[in-house]
Amino acid sequence: MAGNTYVKSISTLMKATESTDLKLLLRTMFNEGKSNGASMLELRGTDIMNNKLFNEAVAKRLGFTLEKLSDSSIRLTAPIP
């Protein structure tokens, strides 16, 4: 936790085999954040191999704002519902 933000790190994420895998993972992280009293979720991704999965259009569709930190690192932020 950093203030009201629940922070999770994701490293060496190569691919999600199905979109439902990603949705389940995100739902779990939102629930973890909510149970810790957070109002925001921040995912920090390093060594991301599947850049197609993490782009602005996908992030927006999932309710996140994407910030590209480097060729293989990102930060996703979203309010916790």
Side-chain angles (χ1 to χ4, degrees):
M1 288 281 294
N4 68 340
T5 303
Y6 186 66
V7 180
K8 293 290 280 186
S9 294
I10 302 171
S11 60
T12 61
L13 184 61
M14 292 190 182
K15 64 180 179 178
T17 55
E18 297 180 19
S19 63
T20 53
D21 295 341
L22 180 59
K23 288 179 183 176
L24 178 60
L25 177 64
L26 293 175
R27 188 176 326 118
T28 299
M29 290 182 193
F30 277 122
N31 288 339
E32 287 174 2
K34 186 181 263 186
S35 70
N36 281 287
S39 59
M40 293 292 291
L41 174 63
E42 178 178 311
L43 304 177
R44 295 180 185 176
T46 57
D47 299 325
I48 303 297
M49 301 298 197
N50 187 351
N51 287 322
K52 291 179 185 174
L53 184 61
F54 294 103
N55 62 58
E56 285 191 54
V58 172
K60 187 174 182 177
R61 191 168 56 241
L62 295 171
F64 284 85
T65 300
L66 178 124
E67 179 183 357
K68 192 163 179 141
L69 305 174
S70 72
D71 285 341
S72 62
S73 298
I74 59 166
R75 180 181 353 210
L76 295 164
T77 55
I80 294 176

XYZ file of all heavy atoms in Angstrom:
619
model
N 0.843 -1.184 0.000
C 0.000 0.000 0.000
C 0.880 1.236 0.000
O 1.893 1.282 0.685
C -0.893 0.032 1.240
C -2.030 -0.960 1.263
S -3.465 -0.488 0.297
C -4.072 0.923 1.159
N 0.472 2.192 -0.771
C 1.108 3.504 -0.790
C -0.023 4.522 -0.704
O -0.700 4.786 -1.708
C 1.929 3.694 -2.050
N -0.277 5.031 0.483
C -1.426 5.911 0.682
C -2.712 5.122 0.502
O -2.913 4.103 1.150
N -3.556 5.568 -0.419
C -4.820 4.861 -0.690
C -4.717 3.944 -1.905
O -5.722 3.485 -2.424
C -5.954 5.869 -0.890
C -5.784 6.681 -2.158
O -4.698 6.797 -2.716
N -6.879 7.253 -2.625
N -3.478 3.669 -2.358
C -3.262 2.863 -3.564
C -2.677 1.505 -3.226
O -1.669 1.411 -2.536
C -2.318 3.610 -4.532
O -2.889 4.887 -4.835
C -2.122 2.827 -5.821
N -3.332 0.468 -3.721
C -2.832 -0.894 -3.571
C -1.922 -1.170 -4.756
O -2.345 -1.077 -5.904
C -4.009 -1.873 -3.545
C -3.615 -3.293 -3.247
C -3.094 -3.646 -2.008
C -3.781 -4.287 -4.194
C -2.751 -4.953 -1.726
C -3.443 -5.596 -3.922
C -2.931 -5.925 -2.679
O -2.582 -7.222 -2.403
N -0.652 -1.473 -4.478
C 0.362 -1.622 -5.518
C 0.759 -3.093 -5.638
O 1.091 -3.728 -4.643
C 1.606 -0.760 -5.206
C 2.652 -0.916 -6.300
C 1.218 0.701 -5.032
N 0.716 -3.594 -6.857
C 1.155 -4.963 -7.145
C 2.186 -4.908 -8.261
O 2.060 -4.112 -9.188
C -0.011 -5.841 -7.618
C -1.062 -6.133 -6.603
C -0.590 -7.057 -5.513
C -0.619 -8.486 -5.966
N -0.305 -9.451 -4.923
N 3.186 -5.761 -8.166
C 4.200 -5.873 -9.219
C 3.962 -7.144 -10.011
O 3.655 -8.193 -9.447
C 5.599 -5.927 -8.612
O 5.898 -4.699 -7.997
N 4.102 -7.008 -11.308
C 3.981 -8.160 -12.202
C 5.271 -8.200 -13.011
O 5.597 -7.236 -13.693
C 2.795 -8.012 -13.173
C 1.494 -7.831 -12.410
C 2.703 -9.208 -14.096
C 0.329 -7.459 -13.296
N 5.990 -9.303 -12.923
C 7.218 -9.386 -13.717
C 7.208 -10.643 -14.563
O 6.564 -11.636 -14.231
C 8.452 -9.377 -12.815
O 8.432 -10.465 -11.940
N 7.874 -10.569 -15.667
C 8.017 -11.653 -16.644
C 6.673 -12.273 -17.035
O 6.546 -13.475 -17.155
C 8.993 -12.751 -16.171
O 8.505 -13.346 -14.967
C 10.376 -12.197 -15.942
N 5.674 -11.423 -17.237
C 4.372 -11.891 -17.696
C 4.445 -12.067 -19.205
O 4.616 -11.106 -19.935
C 3.286 -10.883 -17.329
C 1.861 -11.277 -17.669
C 1.463 -12.547 -16.927
C 0.917 -10.148 -17.321
N 4.361 -13.299 -19.660
C 4.516 -13.563 -21.087
C 3.194 -13.492 -21.826
O 3.097 -12.883 -22.859
C 5.186 -14.899 -21.305
C 6.613 -14.894 -20.863
S 7.403 -16.386 -21.400
C 9.019 -16.123 -20.709
N 2.179 -14.156 -21.303
C 0.892 -14.110 -21.995
C -0.196 -14.661 -21.090
O 0.065 -15.441 -20.183
C 0.927 -14.920 -23.289
C 1.152 -16.404 -23.084
C 1.166 -17.147 -24.398
C 1.417 -18.630 -24.142
N 1.397 -19.402 -25.356
N -1.379 -14.224 -21.354
C -2.554 -14.838 -20.750
C -3.150 -15.700 -21.850
O -3.306 -15.254 -22.978
C -3.546 -13.776 -20.299
N -3.463 -16.938 -21.537
C -3.927 -17.842 -22.584
C -5.311 -17.464 -23.079
O -5.647 -17.714 -24.220
C -3.928 -19.302 -22.096
O -4.705 -19.389 -20.898
C -2.514 -19.767 -21.827
N -6.111 -16.861 -22.226
C -7.441 -16.414 -22.629
C -7.737 -15.106 -21.924
O -7.178 -14.820 -20.870
C -8.504 -17.444 -22.228
C -8.339 -18.780 -22.910
C -9.420 -19.763 -22.479
O -10.462 -19.320 -21.951
O -9.214 -20.946 -22.668
N -8.633 -14.326 -22.488
C -8.978 -13.054 -21.857
C -9.578 -13.262 -20.480
O -9.442 -12.429 -19.598
C -9.933 -12.259 -22.744
O -11.145 -12.953 -22.901
N -10.255 -14.412 -20.265
C -10.837 -14.671 -18.954
C -9.743 -14.835 -17.893
O -9.970 -14.521 -16.734
C -11.731 -15.923 -18.970
O -10.992 -17.016 -19.501
C -12.969 -15.697 -19.803
N -8.561 -15.319 -18.274
C -7.453 -15.429 -17.329
C -7.068 -14.048 -16.810
O -6.868 -13.850 -15.617
C -6.217 -16.058 -17.983
C -6.423 -17.503 -18.400
O -7.353 -18.159 -17.894
O -5.638 -17.973 -19.245
N -6.977 -13.093 -17.692
C -6.610 -11.735 -17.328
C -7.707 -11.105 -16.478
O -7.422 -10.463 -15.471
C -6.353 -10.900 -18.579
C -5.956 -9.455 -18.334
C -4.682 -9.369 -17.496
C -5.778 -8.728 -19.664
N -8.957 -11.288 -16.856
C -10.063 -10.717 -16.091
C -10.114 -11.291 -14.680
O -10.350 -10.563 -13.717
C -11.390 -10.944 -16.814
C -11.534 -10.088 -18.053
C -12.837 -10.350 -18.756
C -12.910 -9.521 -20.032
N -14.119 -9.812 -20.786
N -9.863 -12.578 -14.537
C -9.843 -13.210 -13.209
C -8.694 -12.658 -12.376
O -8.866 -12.336 -11.198
C -9.728 -14.732 -13.337
C -9.648 -15.503 -12.025
C -10.892 -15.262 -11.177
C -9.466 -16.988 -12.305
N -7.532 -12.511 -12.985
C -6.372 -11.958 -12.294
C -6.666 -10.540 -11.818
O -6.405 -10.197 -10.658
C -5.161 -11.968 -13.223
C -3.872 -11.353 -12.684
C -3.356 -12.147 -11.494
C -2.822 -11.299 -13.789
N -7.239 -9.708 -12.687
C -7.549 -8.333 -12.316
C -8.617 -8.272 -11.232
O -8.502 -7.483 -10.282
C -7.981 -7.529 -13.537
C -6.895 -7.290 -14.576
C -7.478 -6.588 -15.806
C -5.744 -6.481 -14.001
N -9.634 -9.087 -11.337
C -10.686 -9.115 -10.320
C -10.089 -9.471 -8.964
O -10.431 -8.866 -7.940
C -11.783 -10.116 -10.700
C -12.978 -10.047 -9.773
C -14.155 -10.952 -10.162
N -14.352 -11.115 -11.579
C -14.260 -12.299 -12.210
N -13.981 -13.399 -11.547
N -14.471 -12.376 -13.505
N -9.179 -10.442 -8.948
C -8.519 -10.834 -7.706
C -7.731 -9.676 -7.116
O -7.792 -9.410 -5.908
C -7.591 -12.044 -7.960
O -8.387 -13.131 -8.435
C -6.860 -12.447 -6.702
N -7.001 -8.954 -7.963
C -6.206 -7.818 -7.477
C -7.094 -6.684 -6.981
O -6.783 -6.050 -5.969
C -5.253 -7.341 -8.570
C -4.147 -8.323 -8.834
S -3.042 -7.668 -10.088
C -2.097 -9.116 -10.475
N -8.195 -6.412 -7.673
C -9.139 -5.401 -7.198
C -9.693 -5.799 -5.823
O -9.789 -4.966 -4.920
C -10.297 -5.207 -8.178
C -9.991 -4.284 -9.325
C -10.094 -4.729 -10.632
C -9.622 -2.966 -9.101
C -9.833 -3.877 -11.689
C -9.365 -2.105 -10.163
C -9.465 -2.563 -11.462
N -10.049 -7.062 -5.665
C -10.589 -7.537 -4.392
C -9.554 -7.442 -3.276
O -9.893 -7.084 -2.147
C -11.108 -8.973 -4.521
C -12.392 -9.046 -5.321
O -13.114 -8.054 -5.456
N -12.676 -10.206 -5.879
N -8.292 -7.770 -3.588
C -7.226 -7.644 -2.591
C -7.085 -6.182 -2.157
O -6.947 -5.896 -0.968
C -5.889 -8.126 -3.155
C -5.776 -9.613 -3.313
C -4.485 -10.030 -4.001
O -3.645 -9.163 -4.340
O -4.299 -11.239 -4.201
N -7.097 -5.282 -3.135
C -6.981 -3.865 -2.824
C -8.132 -3.376 -1.970
O -7.936 -2.673 -0.971
N -9.346 -3.758 -2.355
C -10.530 -3.348 -1.599
C -10.473 -3.868 -0.168
O -10.771 -3.139 0.774
C -11.790 -3.866 -2.300
C -13.082 -3.375 -1.687
C -14.282 -3.940 -2.413
C -14.768 -2.931 -3.416
N -16.026 -3.356 -4.051
N -10.055 -5.118 0.011
C -9.990 -5.687 1.361
C -8.909 -5.021 2.214
O -8.957 -5.098 3.439
C -9.777 -7.203 1.307
O -8.475 -7.505 0.849
N -7.964 -4.348 1.575
C -6.934 -3.609 2.298
C -7.286 -2.130 2.459
O -6.463 -1.338 2.903
C -5.584 -3.735 1.576
C -4.920 -5.066 1.863
O -4.424 -5.283 2.955
N -4.933 -5.969 0.891
N -8.497 -1.736 2.054
C -8.960 -0.373 2.235
C -8.502 0.610 1.173
O -8.619 1.820 1.356
N -8.001 0.112 0.055
C -7.507 0.990 -1.012
C -8.653 1.474 -1.890
O -9.678 0.809 -2.029
C -6.483 0.252 -1.864
N -8.447 2.629 -2.517
C -9.423 3.134 -3.483
C -8.848 3.133 -4.901
O -9.575 3.374 -5.859
C -9.860 4.553 -3.108
O -8.754 5.425 -3.072
N -7.547 2.864 -5.020
C -6.883 2.787 -6.330
C -6.049 1.506 -6.389
O -5.530 1.050 -5.373
C -5.945 3.974 -6.544
C -6.628 5.318 -6.679
S -7.596 5.487 -8.182
C -6.317 5.512 -9.426
N -5.904 0.974 -7.609
C -5.034 -0.179 -7.865
C -3.953 0.267 -8.836
O -4.247 0.894 -9.854
C -5.826 -1.335 -8.478
C -5.018 -2.561 -8.929
C -4.324 -3.232 -7.746
C -5.927 -3.550 -9.645
N -2.714 -0.032 -8.501
C -1.591 0.264 -9.396
C -0.831 -1.024 -9.649
O -0.413 -1.710 -8.723
C -0.648 1.284 -8.761
C 0.561 1.593 -9.630
C 1.457 2.639 -9.005
O 0.949 3.694 -8.583
O 2.668 2.389 -8.942
N -0.706 -1.367 -10.915
C 0.061 -2.539 -11.324
C 1.321 -2.056 -11.999
O 1.262 -1.272 -12.946
C -0.744 -3.400 -12.302
C -2.109 -3.866 -11.823
C -2.812 -4.647 -12.916
C -1.986 -4.690 -10.564
N 2.451 -2.524 -11.515
C 3.735 -2.178 -12.121
C 4.264 -3.421 -12.807
O 4.539 -4.428 -12.163
C 4.713 -1.701 -11.053
C 4.271 -0.419 -10.395
C 5.244 0.027 -9.360
N 4.722 1.198 -8.667
C 5.312 1.772 -7.651
N 6.460 1.295 -7.203
N 4.779 2.831 -7.081
N 4.395 -3.342 -14.102
C 4.854 -4.485 -14.883
C 6.265 -4.273 -15.379
O 6.584 -3.230 -15.948
N 7.111 -5.268 -15.141
C 8.480 -5.232 -15.640
C 8.745 -6.490 -16.444
O 8.136 -7.532 -16.198
C 9.506 -5.144 -14.483
O 9.308 -6.260 -13.604
C 9.343 -3.857 -13.704
N 9.630 -6.383 -17.411
C 9.970 -7.505 -18.287
C 8.735 -8.077 -18.970
O 8.582 -9.286 -19.096
C 10.710 -8.610 -17.520
C 12.013 -8.125 -16.935
O 12.660 -7.282 -17.575
O 12.385 -8.585 -15.845
N 7.847 -7.195 -19.425
C 6.625 -7.613 -20.115
C 7.005 -8.092 -21.514
O 7.594 -7.359 -22.287
C 5.615 -6.454 -20.214
C 5.272 -5.898 -18.832
C 4.367 -6.882 -20.971
C 4.587 -6.855 -17.905
N 6.675 -9.331 -21.809
C 7.021 -9.917 -23.102
C 5.901 -9.750 -24.123
O 6.139 -9.701 -25.306
C 7.329 -11.409 -22.952
C 8.456 -11.683 -22.007
S 9.962 -10.926 -22.606
C 11.175 -11.771 -21.669
N 4.653 -9.680 -23.663
C 3.509 -9.596 -24.566
C 2.984 -8.165 -24.582
O 2.022 -7.841 -23.899
C 2.417 -10.578 -24.126
C 1.281 -10.647 -25.113
O 1.211 -9.862 -26.048
N 0.381 -11.583 -24.906
N 3.623 -7.300 -25.380
C 3.204 -5.909 -25.442
C 1.844 -5.735 -26.099
O 1.205 -4.704 -25.933
C 4.257 -5.071 -26.158
C 5.476 -4.861 -25.299
O 5.369 -4.681 -24.089
N 6.642 -4.907 -25.903
N 1.373 -6.719 -26.860
C 0.054 -6.630 -27.476
C -1.037 -6.657 -26.410
O -2.090 -6.075 -26.581
C -0.162 -7.786 -28.457
C 0.709 -7.694 -29.689
C 0.466 -8.867 -30.606
C 1.429 -8.825 -31.774
N 1.317 -10.014 -32.608
N -0.774 -7.355 -25.315
C -1.744 -7.462 -24.240
C -1.834 -6.156 -23.458
O -2.874 -5.809 -22.936
C -1.340 -8.607 -23.307
C -2.283 -8.954 -22.164
C -3.641 -9.375 -22.708
C -1.687 -10.063 -21.324
N -0.735 -5.425 -23.396
C -0.685 -4.200 -22.608
C -0.486 -2.992 -23.513
O 0.624 -2.563 -23.757
C 0.423 -4.285 -21.563
C 0.153 -5.334 -20.534
C 0.809 -6.538 -20.570
C -0.799 -5.119 -19.543
C 0.537 -7.518 -19.628
C -1.077 -6.095 -18.606
C -0.406 -7.297 -18.644
N -1.586 -2.486 -24.028
C -1.552 -1.264 -24.828
C -2.665 -0.352 -24.327
O -3.504 -0.757 -23.528
C -1.671 -1.570 -26.327
C -2.979 -2.240 -26.681
O -4.049 -1.709 -26.428
N -2.898 -3.427 -27.278
N -2.670 0.886 -24.793
C -3.626 1.865 -24.265
C -5.074 1.466 -24.489
O -5.918 1.659 -23.613
C -3.351 3.238 -24.869
C -2.120 3.880 -24.271
C -1.976 5.330 -24.658
O -2.935 6.099 -24.438
O -0.905 5.668 -25.178
N -5.373 0.893 -25.650
C -6.756 0.512 -25.948
C -7.243 -0.581 -24.995
O -8.359 -0.504 -24.473
C -6.877 0.055 -27.393
N -6.425 -1.594 -24.772
C -6.796 -2.687 -23.862
C -6.902 -2.155 -22.438
O -7.853 -2.461 -21.715
C -5.787 -3.852 -23.952
C -6.055 -4.891 -22.885
C -5.838 -4.492 -25.340
N -5.929 -1.351 -22.025
C -5.944 -0.782 -20.672
C -7.227 0.015 -20.448
O -7.902 -0.150 -19.430
C -4.719 0.092 -20.455
N -7.577 0.853 -21.405
C -8.776 1.683 -21.280
C -10.030 0.822 -21.203
O -10.922 1.087 -20.398
C -8.860 2.656 -22.459
C -9.967 3.659 -22.329
C -9.923 4.679 -23.448
C -11.021 5.700 -23.263
N -10.975 6.739 -24.279
N -10.097 -0.203 -22.040
C -11.253 -1.104 -22.041
C -11.419 -1.796 -20.685
O -12.532 -2.078 -20.245
C -11.119 -2.130 -23.165
C -12.370 -2.923 -23.395
C -12.366 -3.733 -24.679
N -11.245 -4.640 -24.791
C -10.320 -4.602 -25.755
N -10.388 -3.693 -26.695
N -9.338 -5.467 -25.789
N -10.293 -2.051 -20.003
C -10.327 -2.698 -18.690
C -10.444 -1.692 -17.544
O -10.436 -2.067 -16.385
C -9.070 -3.562 -18.505
C -8.946 -4.750 -19.453
C -7.578 -5.391 -19.328
C -10.052 -5.778 -19.179
N -10.523 -0.397 -17.876
C -10.703 0.628 -16.861
C -9.418 1.209 -16.298
O -9.445 1.890 -15.281
N -8.296 0.951 -16.965
C -6.990 1.404 -16.486
C -6.446 2.550 -17.327
O -6.799 2.715 -18.487
C -5.970 0.260 -16.552
C -6.116 -0.758 -15.468
C -7.000 -1.811 -15.608
C -5.371 -0.675 -14.303
C -7.138 -2.759 -14.617
C -5.501 -1.617 -13.314
C -6.388 -2.662 -13.462
N -5.553 3.296 -16.725
C -4.720 4.251 -17.435
C -3.345 3.612 -17.539
O -2.823 3.101 -16.542
C -4.616 5.577 -16.658
O -5.926 6.110 -16.520
C -3.729 6.568 -17.386
N -2.763 3.613 -18.728
C -1.464 2.978 -18.961
C -0.380 4.035 -19.097
O -0.565 5.021 -19.806
C -1.506 2.123 -20.226
C -0.175 1.467 -20.580
C -0.327 -0.030 -20.708
C 0.351 2.031 -21.884
N 0.713 3.819 -18.411
C 1.899 4.654 -18.561
C 3.059 3.736 -18.915
O 3.368 2.811 -18.167
C 2.197 5.384 -17.254
C 3.425 6.258 -17.314
C 3.745 6.908 -15.975
O 2.978 6.735 -15.002
O 4.777 7.583 -15.915
N 3.641 3.943 -20.070
C 4.777 3.125 -20.507
C 6.046 3.714 -19.899
O 6.397 4.867 -20.145
C 4.852 3.109 -22.026
C 5.802 2.074 -22.542
C 5.543 1.804 -24.008
C 6.543 0.772 -24.451
N 6.064 -0.191 -25.334
N 6.750 2.929 -19.100
C 7.951 3.384 -18.412
C 9.214 3.097 -19.211
O 10.197 3.821 -19.097
C 8.040 2.733 -17.028
C 6.816 2.939 -16.130
C 6.946 2.135 -14.854
C 6.621 4.416 -15.835
N 9.185 2.022 -20.000
C 10.299 1.659 -20.881
C 9.753 0.681 -21.917
O 8.553 0.406 -21.937
C 11.453 1.016 -20.094
O 11.102 -0.290 -19.669
N 10.625 0.106 -22.749
C 10.159 -0.858 -23.756
C 9.492 -2.079 -23.131
O 8.642 -2.709 -23.750
C 11.325 -1.314 -24.643
C 11.734 -0.245 -25.633
O 10.939 0.680 -25.890
O 12.866 -0.328 -26.148
N 9.887 -2.433 -21.916
C 9.323 -3.639 -21.300
C 8.737 -3.393 -19.920
O 8.464 -4.343 -19.183
C 10.412 -4.716 -21.204
O 11.466 -4.272 -20.366
N 8.503 -2.133 -19.561
C 7.932 -1.814 -18.242
C 6.764 -0.844 -18.380
O 6.818 0.093 -19.162
C 8.993 -1.189 -17.344
O 10.050 -2.088 -17.130
N 5.726 -1.127 -17.590
C 4.511 -0.304 -17.629
C 3.985 -0.060 -16.219
O 4.360 -0.753 -15.278
C 3.404 -0.969 -18.458
C 3.056 -2.334 -17.865
C 3.768 -1.071 -19.926
C 1.780 -2.924 -18.372
N 3.092 0.923 -16.134
C 2.326 1.143 -14.899
C 0.875 1.301 -15.316
O 0.547 2.115 -16.192
C 2.814 2.391 -14.184
C 2.052 2.660 -12.907
C 2.496 3.903 -12.184
N 3.669 4.477 -12.806
C 4.600 5.164 -12.157
N 4.494 5.383 -10.895
N 5.633 5.671 -12.800
N 0.000 0.516 -14.714
C -1.433 0.591 -14.945
C -2.090 1.078 -13.655
O -1.781 0.562 -12.583
C -2.000 -0.781 -15.298
C -1.524 -1.411 -16.601
C -1.848 -2.896 -16.613
C -2.173 -0.715 -17.777
N -2.995 2.045 -13.754
C -3.708 2.514 -12.577
C -5.206 2.564 -12.865
O -5.615 2.846 -13.994
C -3.229 3.914 -12.139
O -3.334 4.809 -13.242
C -1.805 3.887 -11.637
N -5.981 2.260 -11.841
C -7.443 2.283 -11.976
C -8.076 2.447 -10.614
O -7.541 1.965 -9.609
C -7.945 0.992 -12.614
N -9.238 3.119 -10.577
C -9.978 3.176 -9.319
C -10.537 1.799 -8.999
O -10.891 1.036 -9.910
C -11.091 4.183 -9.595
C -11.203 4.267 -11.073
C -9.876 3.851 -11.651
N -10.604 1.488 -7.723
C -11.178 0.200 -7.309
C -12.678 0.384 -7.178
O -13.134 1.269 -6.448
C -10.551 -0.267 -5.983
C -9.070 -0.582 -6.194
C -11.304 -1.475 -5.422
C -8.310 -0.972 -4.951
N -13.441 -0.428 -7.913
C -14.920 -0.280 -7.867
C -15.495 -0.691 -6.516
O -14.939 -1.427 -5.782
C -15.407 -1.205 -8.982
C -14.281 -2.088 -9.342
C -13.035 -1.465 -8.803
